[in-house]
Amino acid sequence: MELAFHERMAALGCCKFFGAFLVGFLFFHGFCASEKAPNYSFLQNATSAPTISYYDYIIVGGGTTGCPLAATLSQNASVLMLERGGSPYGNPNITNLDSFGAALSDQSPYSPSQRFISEDGVINARARVLGGGSCLNAGFYTRAATDYARAAGWDGGLVNESYQWVEQKVAFQPQIGQWQTAVRDGLVEVGVVPNNGFTYDHIYGTKVGGTIFDQDGNRHSAADLLEYANPSGLTVLLYATVHRILFRTRGHPRPVAHGVVFRDAAGVKHKAYLKNGPRNEIIVSAGALGSPQLLMLSGVGPVDQLKAHNITVVLDQPMIGQLSTVPPKQRTPEAIAKAIELMDNLDEQAFRGGFILEKIMGPTSTGHLELVTRNPKDNPSVTFNYFKEPVDLQRCVDGISLIEKVIDSKPFSKFKYENMPVQQLLNMTANAPVNLLPKHYNSTLSPEDFCKDTVMTIWHYHGGCQVGKVVDDNYRVTGVDTLRVIDGSTFNMSPGTNPQATLMMLGRYMGVKILSERLPTADEQSN
């Protein structure tokens, strides 16, 4: 069980045998802090970009992985990073803890979040800002388990160094309030032991994890990792929407990625190409939804989908779009509008109490992603298939059982009404407008029905371009050359907790590895 605490926010998680992960939040209002924007000389609006430019590396996506990757590669190469959103700095809805949630509800054209409804009827959001999801989330910071890193084939020493590199800029030890203390002590009382205290490590038992909010309530997103960048080696273009990757096919045994086409906020087309060089590459870091979407728009994906949208096939790759993550599709415009209205109009008093959310580890259920249009600004169609596999539903039920025990524990007693049983609390929660699914309105709601009725997202998407299916162990796209995907879309499983620490680590980790490949070999030196 993991608990990430801040004096004004709490998150807790479970790493027990049934594989559930619990998250709780506590909000207070009245805090007003503002983080000073760093002086990034390399940050530009895409409208100022030349029509044609050349770089050693082109990174598509300035998100949680893209920022540390760009900062690292810029030390010894020329790097262009293209971000479809704007800067997080100067936007109090992003930088201030007191405004958490405001960015997610912002539906303006330049909002840092882009809302979509999954085919399962769950209201979701995609990041659209420099720093990616680390600009929108609740701040929980913890590393992946050592077994996870080992299974991924990562070098343990470089993994630890990369985490430390990240943590020097963005991770903090939180203060613990009464709510957090009660939940922590309740977990220990019901047997989630040992109590490991504060640590960034992902370990068995109960612990206090980290946060990316500092003690003044300022968010430190992945964009802060650009402070490590070499300004002379990096160009970051904002409001730059990449439409497709360009491939050479004539005279090559396999398609070769050599450039990208992007448009600025005014709709003006630009092209960026790789410089001549055997190790120069295009790297897609657009996220679990954006990366497979861009590959398909560029002609790499299931041939039936590509032909359906009149996209020239570069490579038939049938595995793209497989997401690792009920069926009733209550998706009428009226139903969607009503659910969104209810969520947006929640009384602010609802955020003065505590929330305990449960995250299902894994999961074993899989979903898929499909193109809707050829416009990269449009959301793809996404189906997560929540609880498709019975083991995921059982994990949820086991997690609910644990939550019930914590609520009934002695340390938690002062946070509940004496005469309100847990079943009544569950029934009240089941009416929250968290999705568009039909509810089971029963007086004695079963744990299974409760899990189905309250299924929602905490945005920890992964899959879509998974290792062993779309990319190899070095994140190179199989079947084409000079193209990699490095982000959460490559994960076969979630790290089991908020993945942002591992995504930032991966950007640094792969940046170091890629730079090492640029060093001349002994044979090259002798020649």
Side-chain angles (χ1 to χ4, degrees):
M1 181 68 63
E2 301 174 339
L3 302 105
F5 291 138
H6 191 277
E7 60 182 326
R8 300 177 189 275
M9 176 176 292
L12 62 108
C14 174
C15 197
K16 208 168 166 62
F17 65 91
F18 49 77
F21 179 91
L22 312 178
V23 180
F25 298 106
L26 180 64
F27 295 90
F28 293 95
H29 293 264
F31 201 104
C32 184
S34 180
E35 183 184 5
K36 183 180 179 180
N39 181 23
Y40 288 159
S41 60
F42 46 77
L43 207 60
Q44 305 171 28
N45 193 300
T47 53
S48 66
T51 303
I52 297 177
S53 55
Y54 297 85
Y55 297 87
D56 296 328
Y57 295 99
I58 300 172
I59 299 175
V60 180
T64 311
T65 304
C67 286
L69 177 62
T72 302
L73 292 178
S74 71
Q75 300 301 321
N76 195 31
S78 62
V79 180
L80 171 66
M81 185 165 69
L82 300 167
E83 167 52 46
R84 70 187 186 122
S87 170
Y89 303 109
N91 184 343
N93 287 347
I94 295 174
T95 57
N96 295 348
L97 174 59
D98 183 55
S99 299
F100 172 76
L104 288 169
S105 62
D106 179 5
Q107 293 304 298
S108 65
Y110 293 100
S111 168
S113 69
Q114 182 178 4
R115 179 174 286 166
F116 71 97
I117 312 293
S118 78
E119 295 295 327
D120 314 279
V122 175
I123 300 169
N124 288 259
R126 301 170 63 190
R128 184 171 51 190
V129 62
L130 185 69
S134 66
C135 293
L136 304 177
N137 64 23
F140 187 69
Y141 182 96
T142 189
R143 300 179 176 188
T146 53
D147 288 346
Y148 183 92
R150 190 178 300 113
W154 296 333
D155 175 83
L158 182 55
V159 166
N160 288 334
E161 292 173 10
S162 299
Y163 273 125
Q164 292 168 8
W165 181 90
V166 169
E167 288 155 9
Q168 289 175 8
K169 294 289 185 184
V170 306
F172 304 89
Q173 180 175 355
Q175 297 180 6
I176 303 177
Q178 291 183 336
W179 161 269
Q180 298 95 323
T181 299
V183 176
R184 179 200 62 193
D185 293 347
L187 289 167
V188 173
E189 179 182 290
V190 302
V192 184
V193 292
N195 182 355
N196 296 294
F198 168 73
T199 178
Y200 292 140
D201 291 334
H202 187 69
I203 50 181
Y204 191 93
T206 293
K207 75 162 195 177
V208 175
T211 176
I212 61 172
F213 288 99
D214 64 25
Q215 297 304 312
D216 293 324
N218 296 322
R219 181 189 297 272
H220 293 265
S221 73
D224 288 20
L225 299 175
L226 293 174
E227 294 176 18
Y228 284 119
N230 173 11
S232 63
L234 178 62
T235 299
V236 178
L237 297 181
L238 301 177
Y239 302 112
T241 301
V242 176
H243 282 243
R244 68 183 186 277
I245 302 165
L246 301 173
F247 292 92
R248 288 195 182 103
T249 56
R250 292 182 180 178
H252 298 277
R254 308 197 316 173
V256 178
H258 70 107
V260 299
V261 176
F262 66 94
R263 292 185 182 271
D264 60 30
V268 177
K269 182 189 294 186
H270 305 258
K271 292 183 180 180
Y273 294 99
L274 294 178
K275 293 180 179 178
N276 290 328
R279 295 181 176 85
N280 297 344
E281 295 176 311
I282 294 172
I283 304 173
V284 180
S285 297
L289 305 184
S291 289
Q293 180 185 24
L294 179 60
L295 290 186
M296 287 190 282
L297 291 174
S298 304
V300 178
V303 66
D304 57 339
Q305 276 207 58
L306 303 184
K307 289 184 176 180
H309 292 277
N310 295 318
I311 298 172
T312 301
V313 178
V314 174
L315 177 70
D316 180 13
Q317 170 49 275
M319 301 306 297
I320 286 180
Q322 296 298 312
L323 300 173
S324 299
T325 32
V326 153
K329 300 179 180 179
Q330 304 295 317
R331 291 172 50 80
T332 66
E334 294 78 13
I336 292 173
K338 182 62 176 179
I340 292 174
E341 178 185 1
L342 289 171
M343 293 184 73
D344 289 345
N345 293 329
L346 282 175
D347 193 302
E348 71 170 25
Q349 291 186 0
F351 296 98
R352 294 178 180 270
F355 296 83
I356 299 180
L357 311 179
E358 176 190 356
K359 175 182 176 181
I360 305 302
M361 280 181 59
T364 60
S365 301
T366 60
H368 61 276
L369 173 150
E370 298 178 0
L371 293 179
V372 176
T373 74
R374 294 176 61 174
N375 187 344
K377 293 185 177 181
D378 292 341
N379 288 313
S381 170
V382 183
T383 304
F384 291 106
N385 286 326
Y386 300 105
F387 304 131
K388 178 182 179 181
E389 299 297 332
V391 65
D392 290 335
L393 183 58
Q394 186 57 50
R395 286 172 174 172
C396 181
V397 169
D398 291 340
I400 294 299
S401 176
L402 179 62
I403 291 174
E404 291 176 347
K405 293 176 182 177
V406 171
I407 292 174
D408 284 335
S409 69
K410 182 177 180 180
F412 200 80
S413 59
K414 59 185 176 182
F415 286 97
K416 57 174 292 191
Y417 291 108
E418 290 185 10
N419 298 321
M420 180 175 288
V422 173
Q423 185 64 48
Q424 186 175 349
L425 287 173
L426 293 179
N427 290 344
M428 292 171 59
T429 306
N431 293 320
V434 296
N435 59 50
L436 309 180
L437 298 173
K439 308 299 182 184
H440 297 85
Y441 291 105
N442 301 323
S443 58
T444 56
L445 195 66
S446 71
E448 290 82 3
D449 288 343
F450 179 83
C451 286
K452 294 175 182 178
D453 284 1
T454 60
V455 64
M456 59 181 293
T457 181
I458 45 178
W459 312 290
H460 297 171
Y461 315 124
H462 68 280
C465 300
Q466 294 167 307
V467 170
K469 296 180 180 178
V470 177
V471 300
D472 63 18
D473 291 344
N474 288 310
Y475 301 94
R476 294 187 175 94
V477 177
T478 56
V480 301
D481 290 332
T482 64
L483 179 64
R484 301 195 205 215
V485 177
I486 303 176
D487 59 23
S489 72
T490 65
F491 289 174
N492 287 300
M493 289 189 64
S494 169
T497 180
N498 189 315
Q500 69 173 347
T502 302
L503 292 170
M504 288 187 270
M505 179 281 295
L506 181 63
R508 170 61 177 178
Y509 178 95
M510 285 306 300
V512 171
K513 289 197 67 175
I514 292 171
L515 282 185
S516 70
E517 296 171 1
R518 296 188 71 86
L519 298 175
T521 64
D523 290 340
E524 290 172 333
Q525 288 178 331
S526 63
N527 292 332

